[in-house]
Amino acid sequence: TGLFTYDPGFMSTAACRSAITYIDGDAGVLLYRGYPIEQLAQNSSFLEVAYLLMQGELPTPGEFKNFEHEVTHHTMMRESLRQFLNGFQYDAHPMAMLCAVVGSLAAFYHDSLDIEDPKQRHLAAIRLIAKMPTIAAACYRYSIGWPTRFPRNSLEYCTRFLHMMFEVPSEPLELPPVAAKALDLLFILHADHEQNASTSTVRLVGSTGANPYACVAAGIAALWGPAHGGANEAVLKMLEEIGTADQVGKAIEKAKDKNSGFRLMGFGHRVYKNFDPRATIIREMCHKVLNDLGVHDPMLDVAMKLEEAALKDSYFIERKLYPNVDFYSGIIYKALKIPTEMFTVMFAIARTAGWVAHWLEQNVTPDTKIGRPRQIYTGSGPRDYVPFDKR
Ligand code: CMC
């Protein structure tokens, strides 16, 4: 391979040093700043986890209060930003809208942003964490033709988001307690995952000195694909296509057939080769949510049957393919009445905490260089231009 190491998909290349998240894929371990994901899922909240990822330590009560205050003071969307939504076709995919609207934040805040100044960097990170749910909910409401709701800053992060999504003026929104709890848990589990494709994208764009809104918009674009964050939407569509538990066998056979172009969505992971610790926590929450809400979703039966059948099948065993974080998350979102097209948007809200933490870390890491991979050239050698009439 000549002068360079050929490593498609960066299977064995560490592109940076980071003190944020640790994964041991063989042991199924995930730590944020040293804290096991299971303990954070049990005891923490998304906003506290966002602080932890950004600042490196759990906040004291005073620090948390300040942080929450900062975030709630940046939840509003500028009116002109909201009007930007009006240019979209009514049925635009909310990920397309989110990507564009977040990218356009750069137009609103670019001039005032000096990324050399740590205070300005912090403010940009806060703005992104604060505004993402407001923008996400506005995209959803636009797509169903409803006017945008203002963020109610007396509410906590996830409850506020659910209000912006579903509240209508005439009736108070009755939220079952499990709804915000489940959402908060999903956000904790999705908050960071070291150098996944979207975070690496944020870092690559960040390495050029681009502003953080542009970096995060690029992260959203990378997240959208079905091999990454788009998998949660793809899982639900797949389960609905399979339809009933007795069709699971056929789906398994199709996923094993390389010519079918079909993979079991929500299965497999680049790093986890034993189990995804997030999937274990989500599976449990999924049962609790459906139980508490009194929902019977036949898709859960299909999912359980599919998991059981795949885990017994030598194809999946040999390749170490296990359910990942996205396998059960869609069933929870669906029970919370979040439409399928919004699933990846939900992932984006949560991953914003990780994206900004990595962007902040990158900006204080002395050996940060512009990301500029090389290639193995496979094209033609030098040759002379041929005029049109001679081709
Ligand atoms: N269904 C069927 N076969 C699979 C699957 C699957 N879901 N995933 C991997 N394989 C096979 C693949 O065909 C290959 O087989 P062989 O060695 O015979 O050629 C082998 O397993 C290794 O797969 P790979 O594509 O080389 O592995 P990777 O590390 O490049 O890909 C992945 C990881 C997550 C992209 C892949 O497992 C996949 O496409 N899964 C489905 C999509 C999905 O659920 N994505 C969410 C990932 S977790 C959350 C996130 O990152 O956003």
Side-chain angles (χ1 to χ4, degrees):
T1 56
L3 287 172
F4 311 116
T5 312
Y6 180 50
D7 184 15
F10 309 110
M11 301 280 285
S12 58
T13 298
C16 63
R17 293 176 189 277
S18 178
I20 301 173
T21 289
Y22 173 80
I23 304 176
D24 179 339
D26 294 325
V29 169
L30 170 61
L31 313 175
Y32 292 165
R33 299 284 188 183
Y35 295 102
I37 194 66
E38 293 79 6
Q39 289 184 25
L40 294 169
Q42 181 78 32
N43 304 307
S44 190
S45 68
F46 172 67
L47 213 53
E48 183 178 68
V49 162
Y51 181 99
L52 173 69
L53 292 169
M54 276 172 66
Q55 310 286 72
E57 295 296 333
L58 286 170
T60 62
E63 286 165 343
F64 184 72
K65 214 164 157 237
N66 268 343
F67 186 70
E68 197 172 31
H69 180 81
E70 280 185 299
V71 169
T72 49
H73 274 70
H74 289 280
T75 51
M76 299 268 280
M77 251 171 115
R78 288 210 188 184
E79 189 55 18
S80 45
L81 191 67
R82 200 187 58 75
Q83 282 171 11
F84 181 45
L85 286 175
N86 296 341
F88 286 99
Q89 177 97 339
Y90 70 95
D91 60 352
H93 195 286
M95 277 300 276
M97 289 193 260
L98 187 73
C99 189
V101 175
V102 171
S104 82
L105 287 172
F108 289 90
Y109 300 112
H110 186 70
D111 289 347
S112 61
L113 179 70
D114 170 10
I115 64 169
E116 299 298 319
D117 177 356
K119 283 209 187 85
Q120 291 281 328
R121 291 200 298 267
H122 178 79
L123 179 60
I126 294 284
R127 277 197 179 117
L128 279 158
I129 291 172
K131 291 188 197 306
M132 197 63 86
T134 316
I135 297 172
C139 291
Y140 166 62
R141 291 176 78 103
Y142 180 78
S143 74
I144 56 165
W146 285 10
T148 307
R149 291 302 277 172
F150 272 23
R152 281 175 45 183
N153 286 339
S154 56
L155 303 173
E156 66 74 44
Y157 196 85
C158 287
T159 313
R160 181 165 62 235
F161 171 70
L162 291 170
H163 273 257
M164 285 189 285
M165 286 282 289
F166 300 122
E167 197 179 36
V168 288
S170 48
E171 303 154 31
L173 182 68
E174 306 255 333
L175 278 180
V178 75
K181 174 90 200 105
L183 196 57
D184 203 58
L185 177 82
L186 288 173
F187 282 3
I188 292 173
L189 299 178
H190 280 103
D192 193 44
H193 214 229
E194 51 119 299
Q195 305 312 317
N196 57 86
S198 59
T199 305
S200 299
T201 302
V202 170
R203 278 186 178 265
L204 188 63
V205 180
S207 78
T208 70
N211 73 73
Y213 308 105
C215 297
V216 168
I220 294 170
L223 187 75
W224 195 358
H228 190 11
N232 55 12
E233 182 177 333
V235 169
L236 210 81
K237 288 189 171 149
M238 174 189 77
L239 295 175
E240 278 163 0
E241 258 165 47
I242 295 173
T244 48
D246 61 341
Q247 296 299 310
V248 156
K250 265 197 226 155
I252 297 268
E253 289 314 311
K254 198 171 163 197
K256 286 157 59 176
D257 173 7
K258 304 280 173 188
N259 297 322
S260 70
F262 170 73
R263 284 185 166 201
L264 274 197
M265 300 315 288
F267 256 77
H269 198 274
R270 170 61 62 79
V271 186
Y272 294 119
K273 298 296 177 198
N274 188 340
F275 66 97
D276 181 338
R278 303 167 300 173
T280 313
I281 301 170
I282 289 186
R283 187 192 296 108
E284 204 178 294
M285 182 47 109
C286 186
H287 286 283
K288 180 171 164 45
V289 168
L290 297 198
N291 196 35
D292 283 19
L293 297 178
V295 171
H296 175 74
D297 186 346
M299 291 310 110
L300 181 63
D301 302 335
V302 178
M304 287 193 318
K305 185 84 194 167
L306 194 62
E307 179 183 3
E308 189 195 319
L311 293 181
K312 276 198 226 139
D313 191 294
S314 60
Y315 172 96
F316 293 90
I317 297 170
E318 279 157 21
R319 289 170 182 76
K320 301 186 191 303
L321 301 169
Y322 295 85
N324 60 47
V325 68
D326 289 324
F327 193 66
Y328 284 99
S329 63
I331 298 175
I332 303 184
Y333 286 139
K334 188 176 165 212
L336 301 181
K337 300 203 165 45
I338 294 184
T340 317
E341 288 74 25
M342 283 293 287
F343 290 0
T344 313
V345 171
M346 309 301 290
F347 195 156
I349 299 174
R351 188 54 58 86
T352 298
W355 290 332
V356 300
H358 282 269
W359 179 79
L360 290 169
E361 184 183 59
Q362 175 178 44
N363 273 280
V364 293
T365 305
D367 62 356
T368 295
K369 277 171 140 4
I370 185 167
R372 203 321 183 170
R374 300 308 304 267
Q375 63 169 16
I376 308 294
Y377 178 66
T378 60
S380 159
R383 47 184 172 161
D384 290 327
Y385 179 79
V386 182
F388 254 135
D389 56 353
K390 297 270 158 29
R391 288 177 219 161

